[in-house]
């Protein structure tokens, strides 16, 4: 089945140690998004790629970076994770404004 | 600034009855709205959508109503089933903002058998 896959499901990283989360899709959607969701809060858009064009939200910290080497893959890099970065990270894709398809998320714990 | 608001963090409904989840928005430019359902430890799953040219969209047990003048939308689930127990997010977007969706904070629905 066509889908959005996030790896790993659970990630534990040390304070200040760089970590990379990955997302892949078989939908051939041209837009890919990264959201951060903390407990009891709405998912917060960090950035998105429209084809190869990177669009960063104004309030996304510089600590968060993203790479999209091809249509199918997108990575979220956290250069120096802090305790406040512990959250669920959701990847999503879309082709148009009809709907998003979300991955299952990666739960990040910072110790 | 929260542009999409879900003021009820939780809702409990008896099985077989109607569940009504509400969502308010502040940006009059929003012209597309969606509801997502989210189970614990999973990503949100698309449920139903509505564009601003309509005031109602129905899909099986799920109906979304849009009141543009009140900037309000609601999701009706009839009849409610225990498997509907989840967190429901509404989201909105405006054509002129590209692909950015704004999410509410979610309503946790519990359907009691």
């Amino acid at each position: 089945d066509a889908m959005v896959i996030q790896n790993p499901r659970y990630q534990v990283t040390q304070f200040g140690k760089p970590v990379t989360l990955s997302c892949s899709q078989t939908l051939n959607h041209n837009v890919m998004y990264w959201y951060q969701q903390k407990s009891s809060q709405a998912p917060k858009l960090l950035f998105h790629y429209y084809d190869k064009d990177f669009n960063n939200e104004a309030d996304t910290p510089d600590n968060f970076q993203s790479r999209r080497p091809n249509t199918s893959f997108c990575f979220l890099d956290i250069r120096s994770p802090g305790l406040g970065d512990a959250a669920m990270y959701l990847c999503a894709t879309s082709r148009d404004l009809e709907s998003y398809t979300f991955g299952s998320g990666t739960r990040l714990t910072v110790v | 600034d929260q542009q999409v608001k879900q003021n009820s963090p939780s809702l409990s409904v008896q099985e077989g009855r109607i569940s009504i989840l509400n969502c308010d928005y502040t940006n009059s430019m929003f012209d597309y709205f969606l509801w997502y359902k989210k189970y614990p430890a999973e990503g949100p799953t698309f449920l139903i959508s509505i564009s601003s040219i309509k005031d109602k969209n129905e899909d099986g047990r799920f109906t979304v109503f849009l009141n543009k003048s009140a900037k309000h939308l609601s999701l009706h689930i009839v009849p409610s089933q225990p498997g509907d127990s989840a967190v429901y997010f509404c989201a909105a977007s405006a054509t002129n903002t590209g692909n950015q969706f704004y999410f509410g904070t979610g309503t946790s629905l519990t359907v009691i058998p």
Side-chain angles (χ1 to χ4, degrees):
Chain A
D1 289 339
M3 57 177 57
V4 179
I5 302 168
Q6 290 188 243
N7 285 306
R9 290 292 303 274
Y10 301 93
Q11 175 74 57
V12 180
T13 190
Q14 288 183 324
F15 182 94
K17 184 176 181 180
V19 64
T20 295
L21 310 182
S22 73
C23 177
S24 64
Q25 55 131 338
T26 59
L27 299 157
N28 202 31
H29 284 172
N30 61 328
V31 192
M32 294 187 77
Y33 311 77
W34 279 104
Y35 285 84
Q36 178 193 64
Q37 185 178 25
K38 297 187 177 181
S39 297
S40 303
Q41 297 183 21
K44 177 184 178 300
L45 181 64
L46 295 174
F47 25 59
H48 73 275
Y49 274 94
Y50 197 109
D51 295 317
K52 295 182 180 180
D53 294 331
F54 178 69
N55 298 272
N56 197 31
E57 294 303 301
D59 57 353
T60 298
D62 292 339
N63 198 25
F64 292 86
Q65 303 287 320
S66 186
R67 296 171 283 135
R68 188 180 186 186
N70 54 52
T71 301
S72 300
F73 286 88
C74 195
F75 300 97
L76 169 62
D77 301 307
I78 308 177
R79 294 192 295 188
S80 181
L83 298 178
D85 296 327
M88 173 74 82
Y89 289 88
L90 297 165
C91 173
T93 71
S94 75
R95 184 185 298 280
D96 50 38
L97 290 179
E98 288 289 321
S99 69
Y100 281 17
T101 302
F102 280 87
S104 296
T106 294
R107 169 73 65 188
L108 179 69
T109 300
V110 182
V111 298
Chain B
D1 183 28
Q2 191 76 23
Q3 298 193 49
V4 178
K5 299 177 183 179
Q6 293 176 255
N7 292 319
S8 297
S10 63
L11 175 68
S12 292
V13 172
Q14 287 290 132
E15 180 178 5
R17 307 293 287 270
I18 184 172
S19 295
I20 300 176
L21 296 96
N22 294 303
C23 180
D24 297 293
Y25 61 95
T26 58
N27 189 340
S28 58
M29 299 301 292
F30 286 149
D31 55 9
Y32 197 79
F33 306 88
L34 304 94
W35 283 94
Y36 285 90
K37 180 167 73 172
K38 184 180 184 302
Y39 293 114
E42 294 184 13
T45 303
F46 171 73
L47 197 57
I48 192 168
S49 65
I50 189 168
S51 74
S52 59
I53 61 173
K54 294 184 176 181
D55 53 20
K56 177 183 174 181
N57 189 25
E58 192 172 354
D59 183 3
R61 296 185 297 112
F62 302 91
T63 303
V64 56
F65 294 92
L66 175 63
N67 183 333
K68 291 183 286 294
S69 61
K71 296 192 183 68
H72 177 83
L73 66 156
S74 61
L75 174 68
H76 292 209
I77 306 173
V78 184
S80 300
Q81 300 173 353
D84 297 328
S85 297
V87 178
Y88 289 78
F89 290 94
C90 68
S93 73
T95 303
N96 64 358
T97 62
N99 285 282
Q100 179 162 350
F101 276 81
Y102 296 84
F103 285 82
T105 51
T107 297
S108 178
L109 173 66
T110 302
V111 180
I112 303 164

